[in-house]
Amino acid sequence: MWYTINIYDKTWKVVSKVTLDEKIFSDDKVNNNLIHEYYLLQASNARNPIAHTKTRWEVSGSGKKIYRQKGTGWARAGEKRSPVRVGWGVAFWPRNERNYTKNMNKKARNLALYGLLTLKAKDNEILGLKDFDLKEPKTKDAVEILTNIGINNDKILFVLNEKNINLIKSFRNLNNVKYLLADYLNPKDLLEYNKILFLESALKKINKE
């Protein structure tokens, strides 16, 4: 199925259309398992292992056997740093040396990303906005644009082709909007936001990759 995205101006009038390349965006290429794998990879690679416990060799304390081997009723207790004693060394608990990094080849990542964008297009959650600039950073202008579009109450991922300081500063103060460059599209952000607002240049860029 061919998907066509309308490109609107700031007053929400259709000025052009972009047809998504069927070789990239196609229902047949949507792989939910691959999308899930890419999402887990992103979450896992962002994980910072801070939980950490000390072993018997890292805690301070004497290594001397506490009691004699027999006759005390303390079941042959060894040194007080032993994991069997409360408050000392710990066995089989988290260590911050653990590596949670996952790998996924570029072709599979792209296929998962395009599949997710296809699902967004299918649900009419992708919108196009003709490239524009603001004379100065002004949040009021950003709100006016989103209000004209009718998505000011939605969670919006605003995708740009390249950095534009005036646009970035105007939109970043809005709690329901996140800006992102097209090169950094990722499954977490695409799933978190229910409206993906592309500048026309950004949409054409991903349509050619």
Side-chain angles (χ1 to χ4, degrees), residues 17-28:
K17 296 178 183 290
V18 172
T19 300
L20 299 181
D21 187 349
E22 196 174 23
K23 294 179 181 178
I24 301 176
F25 304 95
S26 171
D27 291 346
D28 297 335

Side-chain angles (χ1 to χ4, degrees), residues 66-67 74 77-89:
I66 299 177
Y67 308 111
W74 287 97
E79 61 183 15
K80 65 180 181 179
R81 293 183 298 172
S82 171
V84 302
R85 303 185 66 80
V86 176
W88 295 94

Side-chain angles (χ1 to χ4, degrees), residues 36-46 102-104 109:
H36 183 240
E37 183 181 346
Y38 191 9
Y39 179 83
L40 291 181
L41 175 141
Q42 184 182 359
S44 183
N45 289 356
K102 296 180 181 292
N103 293 314
M104 191 176 181
R109 293 199 308 270

Side-chain angles (χ1 to χ4, degrees), residues 96-113:
N96 61 8
E97 298 98 344
R98 182 171 176 179
N99 184 3
Y100 292 96
T101 303
K102 296 180 181 292
N103 293 314
M104 191 176 181
N105 66 61
K106 184 177 181 179
K107 184 177 180 180
R109 293 199 308 270
N110 286 341
L111 187 59
L113 194 62

Side-chain angles (χ1 to χ4, degrees), residues 18-193:
V18 172
T19 300
L20 299 181
D21 187 349
E22 196 174 23
K23 294 179 181 178
I24 301 176
F25 304 95
S26 171
D27 291 346
D28 297 335
K29 294 185 178 181
V30 175
N31 187 326
N32 290 323
N33 290 332
L34 205 58
I35 293 172
H36 183 240
E37 183 181 346
Y38 191 9
Y39 179 83
L40 291 181
L41 175 141
Q42 184 182 359
S44 183
N45 289 356
R47 186 170 179 177
N48 182 22
I50 57 175
H52 183 74
T53 55
K54 293 184 177 182
T55 67
R56 65 190 301 169
W57 311 115
E58 295 172 313
V59 295
S60 299
S62 171
K64 181 180 179 181
K65 186 175 175 68
I66 299 177
Y67 308 111
R68 64 177 185 269
Q69 180 74 356
K70 292 178 180 289
T72 64
W74 287 97
R76 303 176 176 84
E79 61 183 15
K80 65 180 181 179
R81 293 183 298 172
S82 171
V84 302
R85 303 185 66 80
V86 176
W88 295 94
V90 181
F92 310 119
W93 282 94
R95 301 281 293 175
N96 61 8
E97 298 98 344
R98 182 171 176 179
N99 184 3
Y100 292 96
T101 303
K102 296 180 181 292
N103 293 314
M104 191 176 181
N105 66 61
K106 184 177 181 179
K107 184 177 180 180
R109 293 199 308 270
N110 286 341
L111 187 59
L113 194 62
Y114 294 143
L116 188 50
L117 285 169
T118 300
L119 293 176
K120 288 287 184 179
K122 187 175 183 179
D123 293 336
N124 296 317
E125 294 184 1
I126 293 181
L127 307 171
L129 187 61
K130 185 176 179 60
D131 285 32
F132 69 98
D133 197 3
L134 298 174
K135 294 181 180 179
E136 59 180 348
K138 205 168 185 180
T139 303
K140 183 179 178 181
D141 291 342
V143 173
E144 183 180 354
I145 293 170
L146 297 181
T147 302
N148 290 338
I149 297 173
I151 59 173
N152 53 304
N153 292 323
D154 291 301
K155 293 191 66 178
I156 305 162
L157 184 64
F158 185 37
V159 185
L160 297 78
N161 180 39
E162 57 187 12
K163 282 189 176 181
N164 182 311
I165 299 300
N166 288 343
L167 291 182
I168 290 173
K169 287 184 176 180
S170 298
F171 282 87
R172 71 182 181 183
N173 289 331
L174 303 176
N175 293 329
N176 61 324
V177 179
K178 177 179 180 178
Y179 78 87
L180 193 69
L181 297 183
D183 290 332
Y184 295 96
L185 281 171
N186 60 85
K188 182 178 182 298
D189 285 329
L190 289 175
L191 289 170
E192 184 176 347
Y193 293 86

